[in-house]
Amino acid sequence: MDDERRDGWPMRYEFRVEGVLPEEARALFADMNIEDIPPQTLMSGDVIDESHLHGILAQLAVLGIAVVSVMPNPPTS
């Protein structure tokens, strides 16, 4: 049986943020793939549930990082 839960979580998400993430922010999101695409940064990774998604967005807000877009996307494997 697939390890994905029936409610659709975990789900892969892509976060585009303004600017280049500072090292301390990169460390907080170490479980995500982070790619610099000037003038933005692309972060992608698995989000386990809606609470986790809101937590990521809250963490970005606390760091003062402007979110450009948040998109769910299918897994690459």
Side-chain angles (χ1 to χ4, degrees):
M1 178 177 249
D2 191 36
D3 64 351
E4 187 172 327
R5 295 183 353 211
R6 288 184 187 197
D7 60 3
W9 299 98
M11 187 181 293
R12 191 153 188 81
Y13 269 83
E14 175 181 289
F15 302 84
R16 281 188 185 269
V17 299
E18 201 57 53
V20 175
L21 287 182
E23 286 305 314
E24 65 268 9
R26 288 175 184 269
L28 291 172
F29 299 107
D31 59 335
M32 298 196 123
N33 296 318
I34 299 174
E35 182 180 356
D36 294 328
I37 307 172
Q40 300 173 346
T41 300
L42 176 66
M43 299 174 20
S44 60
D46 290 333
V47 177
I48 60 171
D49 58 21
E50 192 171 341
S51 177
H52 185 208
L53 174 62
H54 288 285
I56 292 168
L57 294 171
Q59 186 79 53
L60 290 167
V62 165
L63 294 169
I65 297 169
V67 176
V68 174
S69 68
V70 178
M71 302 278 299
N73 58 23
T76 55
S77 55

